[in-house]
Amino acid sequence: MRQTFDESTDPSFGPKHVPLIRQAMAKQGLDGFLVPHEDEHQNEYLPAANDRLAWATGFTGSAGAAVILKDKAAVFVDGRYTLQVRDQVDGKLFEIRDLVDGGVPAYLETATARGQKIGYDPRLHSPDALGHLKAAAAKTGAELVAVNDNPLDQAWGQARPAQPTAPVVPHPAEFSGEDSSAKRTRVGAAVAAKGGDAAVLTAPSSIAWLFNVRGGDVIRSPLPLGQAILNKDGTARLFLDPAKVSEELPAWLGNQVRLETPDDLPGALAELKGQSVVVDPAQSSAWYFDTLQQAGATVIRGEDPCALPRAQKNDVEIQGTRNAHARDGAALTRFLHWMATEGQANPPDEVEAVSKLEAFREATGMLKDLSFDTIAGAASNGAIVHYRPTQRLNKRSEQGSLFLVDSGAQYLDGTTDVTRTVAIGEPSAEMRQRFTLVLKGHLALAAIRFPAGTTGSALDVLARAALWMHGLDYDHGTGHGVGSYLGVHEGPQRISKAPNSVALKPGMILSNEPGYYKEGAYGIRIENLQVVTPAAPIPGGERSMLGFETLTLAPIDRRLIDRDLLTADERAQLDAYHARVREVVGPQLEPEVRRWLDEVTAPI
């Protein structure tokens, strides 16, 4: 069972480990040290060996940072983790601060002093982020100093887990839809068009996509940790730990890809002297920029050239994702049936619900991993965006409450991410009204047609309009990109209030997840994944328009819908969606669950 409630850390980590870090700092003449959540590959989910922030503080969230000074320390998290951080971190040792509002730079401006040397590991920080941090420290007269030997790693010592060595295996054409040679040729041409002779790739998802391989170094994502140099002619050098090179991998990669070790990487970068090299400052750390510049290469700051083509799924990937969602929808429907029957008679706690849902996905026989730790919030915990249950925080659902479950799975043919909110017992009129307002936004975003060149920022208001008209809103984005048996959070496309210059293109998969959260009471979110469809004429229209095809297939709790708040078109849209759920998911189910599905998806 792939349990999602990780309790491998606790508040004792800070008191045990911070003194060791300070000792290692002192040996290097440092007055402080920066501890980001990010690792050398900018992963969202980290292998145990790279989870430095968790080891130093006890905090296991997917975003955060810490600053450890000689006489004080602070840990930084965003609004998703305000409850979790207080549960996991010793508040007497660490000041808990907001990651977004001021964040680490604001802390450095007040907590450091003239002459202090604050260390950082250049392999863990992007050049842009470092610029802000250096400017903040300079205001007090402090100095940020790059270290060759990370004092946290030195303090961790022999207790640090080994780097992962999961085999890197081929991802065949039946799932990828395009061979690696073709991908490398067209991405190499894009590098040349930017004026580059080569590109340095450090994002594991780009390496997995470009070479049609998958790995197991990172939990929740089938990623191999490594680096690559792609030349403009499509040839490449791939740097992998030899322990991860499976027997079939060299032949799979072919003679245009040279397999090398991570120890060979500095020398390979030095060989780029005199060449123009594309490097993504959002994906690659300052170490790459420093190393290339010292070698005499010309660095072209530009987006990872794999990001956009990776986001535009081909026909094989889209059909695979449809298949994955049909399979996953059956597992989720079995879970929702369990919640509607046994879960009503004996309301489960959060951990029980998570385990049950994982068991239904395991029973498909095709689950490779979850796509993220399941979010299951009973009653007031549902109002904490991205709350994750643990044994210490575990809450039992109650009659008259809501239960929010946001979960996903990794299958060879696709990645899923779906949220459903269900009523336990009889919901209140307010719950039904707020749920219906969220549903109206969800339906509006699913149905919209839009011209080529439209960005996700232009569509975001559709999901919020009904809530706004009632003085309500939510504080997270409306949609993120999703990979094809890759990361569940994938750029560069997104749907949010924040400005985004990336136009939505056919084949891009995004989430559609408006919500509403009443602090201390309940949370509501409805999430499906949808793929951008090719432009098609509209009768009487003058321009062809792109649109969305909904991929996720699972019932939406009709007990929470105030029918009178929906227009006739919205009711018809919901009925059509539920008809698709019955058609695709129904035949996979046992008779009892099939009868229940027919009832709960009947026309509204």
Side-chain angles (χ1 to χ4, degrees):
M1 182 66 66
R2 298 167 173 82
Q3 298 290 356
T4 64
F5 20 93
D6 175 12
E7 298 188 75
S8 61
T9 66
D10 60 56
S12 72
F13 271 41
K16 288 190 293 188
H17 299 156
V18 167
L20 301 177
I21 297 171
R22 285 176 170 152
Q23 290 175 18
M25 285 164 39
K27 290 180 181 178
Q28 296 191 39
L30 298 174
D31 300 292
F33 188 67
L34 307 180
V35 185
H37 172 269
E38 292 77 19
D39 69 353
E40 292 86 337
H41 303 273
Q42 303 296 300
N43 285 311
E44 179 180 11
Y45 302 110
L46 304 177
N50 295 352
D51 205 349
R52 296 175 175 89
L53 183 62
W55 186 81
T57 68
F59 174 65
T60 62
S62 64
V67 178
I68 298 174
L69 303 175
K70 289 194 296 186
D71 57 351
K72 55 190 168 184
V75 63
F76 302 79
V77 301
D78 62 33
R80 297 173 295 173
Y81 296 113
T82 52
L83 179 63
Q84 181 177 331
V85 71
R86 297 185 187 282
D87 180 62
Q88 293 184 316
V89 174
D90 186 336
K92 295 179 181 177
L93 178 61
F94 286 95
E95 180 184 353
I96 297 173
R97 296 177 64 114
D98 192 288
L99 181 66
V100 179
D101 185 13
V104 177
Y107 183 76
L108 293 176
E109 289 180 15
T110 58
T112 59
R114 180 171 298 278
Q116 286 188 331
K117 295 184 181 299
I118 311 300
Y120 70 91
D121 187 335
R123 293 177 179 267
L124 307 181
H125 298 266
S126 73
D128 289 347
L130 269 180
H132 294 300
L133 295 171
K134 289 179 178 180
K139 291 182 179 180
T140 67
E143 179 186 4
L144 259 59
V145 179
V147 299
N148 292 321
D149 296 317
N150 187 315
L152 188 153
D153 294 350
Q154 292 179 325
W156 206 344
Q158 294 182 349
R160 183 182 180 189
Q163 286 292 330
T165 55
V168 179
V169 299
H171 190 57
E174 65 180 290
F175 302 122
S176 69
E178 182 183 11
D179 66 40
S180 174
S181 176
K183 290 180 179 180
R184 286 185 279 107
T185 297
R186 65 186 177 101
V187 175
V191 170
K194 292 182 179 180
D197 298 301
V200 173
L201 306 175
T202 62
S205 56
S206 290
I207 290 168
W209 175 83
L210 183 64
F211 296 101
N212 283 344
V213 296
R214 297 295 187 268
D217 290 339
V218 181
I219 190 171
R220 310 308 183 216
S221 302
L223 299 176
L225 299 186
Q227 301 85 13
I229 297 174
L230 174 69
N231 299 312
K232 63 182 180 181
D233 64 0
T235 60
R237 304 170 75 170
L238 177 58
F239 303 88
L240 295 174
D241 184 332
K244 297 193 290 194
V245 177
S246 58
E247 185 176 346
E248 68 269 38
L249 187 62
W252 174 259
L253 294 172
N255 58 17
Q256 289 190 318
V257 178
R258 187 196 310 176
L259 263 175
E260 302 181 59
T261 74
D263 291 339
D264 298 321
L265 179 60
L269 295 177
E271 291 175 22
L272 296 174
K273 178 180 180 180
Q275 297 190 45
S276 296
V277 185
V278 176
V279 191
D280 188 342
Q283 293 288 345
S284 300
S285 70
W287 180 85
Y288 291 94
F289 289 79
D290 295 343
T291 302
L292 286 166
Q293 288 167 351
Q294 291 166 7
T298 299
V299 176
I300 301 174
R301 296 167 65 97
E303 184 179 71
D304 180 337
C306 295
L308 190 58
R310 183 180 73 236
Q312 294 178 255
K313 311 298 184 290
N314 58 45
D315 291 344
V316 170
E317 291 172 314
I318 293 170
Q319 186 55 51
T321 299
R322 292 189 186 107
N323 297 339
H325 278 276
R327 180 186 317 118
D328 198 61
L332 183 60
T333 298
R334 292 185 178 99
F335 168 77
L336 294 172
H337 169 259
W338 175 78
M339 287 289 292
T341 52
E342 295 181 44
Q344 295 290 329
N346 298 292
D349 64 32
E350 294 161 344
V351 170
E352 290 169 347
V354 168
S355 298
K356 195 70 175 181
L357 178 52
E358 291 178 12
F360 282 123
R361 285 193 165 112
E362 289 271 13
T364 66
M366 299 183 71
L367 180 69
K368 305 300 289 185
D369 196 357
L370 304 179
S371 57
F372 57 96
D373 288 348
T374 300
I375 298 163
S380 59
N381 283 348
I384 304 168
V385 180
H386 287 196
Y387 164 83
R388 185 184 64 174
T390 67
Q391 294 290 357
R392 292 189 297 275
L393 300 177
N394 188 28
K395 188 170 189 174
R396 186 167 296 280
S397 52
E398 305 168 351
Q399 295 293 326
S401 69
L402 300 183
F403 198 98
L404 185 155
V405 181
D406 186 348
S407 67
Q410 294 281 11
Y411 303 101
L412 283 172
D413 49 4
T415 300
T416 70
D417 180 4
V418 52
T419 306
R420 288 295 182 265
T421 306
V422 298
I424 305 295
E426 185 64 28
S428 68
E430 179 188 273
M431 292 173 178
R432 296 177 69 240
Q433 184 233 22
R434 305 291 161 91
F435 183 91
T436 309
L437 295 176
V438 172
L439 177 61
K440 288 172 74 71
H442 177 88
L443 294 172
L445 184 55
I448 190 62
R449 304 290 294 276
F450 52 93
T454 301
T455 68
S457 303
L459 302 183
D460 182 77
V461 65
L462 295 167
R464 302 178 190 269
L467 288 163
W468 284 359
M469 293 300 290
H470 288 77
L472 308 171
D473 200 3
Y474 53 93
D475 294 327
H476 56 76
T478 299
H480 57 82
V482 178
S484 175
Y485 189 45
L486 283 173
V488 74
H489 296 134
E490 176 182 89
Q493 75 276 22
R494 67 177 186 270
I495 301 173
S496 69
K497 291 179 183 177
N500 181 7
S501 61
V502 178
L504 301 180
K505 296 179 180 295
M508 287 182 170
I509 296 174
L510 301 103
S511 63
N512 172 358
E513 50 179 311
Y516 167 77
Y517 310 91
K518 185 172 183 177
E519 185 176 357
Y522 58 86
I524 295 166
R525 188 159 64 250
I526 304 170
E527 177 186 15
N528 287 343
L529 299 189
Q530 50 196 39
V531 59
V532 180
T533 56
I538 297 174
E542 297 180 352
R543 300 184 185 183
S544 58
M545 297 283 172
L546 302 172
F548 290 115
E549 172 194 338
T550 297
L551 297 166
T552 305
L553 296 169
I556 294 170
D557 193 347
R558 292 190 314 156
R559 295 175 302 156
L560 282 167
I561 299 174
D562 184 339
R563 184 181 185 278
D564 293 337
L565 291 180
L566 296 180
T567 66
D569 286 345
E570 289 168 338
R571 292 194 294 269
Q573 184 183 348
L574 178 63
D575 288 345
Y577 173 72
H578 274 155
R580 279 190 60 218
V581 174
R582 288 195 304 275
E583 176 186 358
V584 177
V585 174
Q588 303 178 64
L589 303 174
E590 305 76 25
E592 177 187 356
V593 183
R594 174 72 181 268
R595 287 192 294 270
W596 172 84
L597 179 64
D598 289 343
E599 293 173 3
V600 299
T601 59
I604 194 168

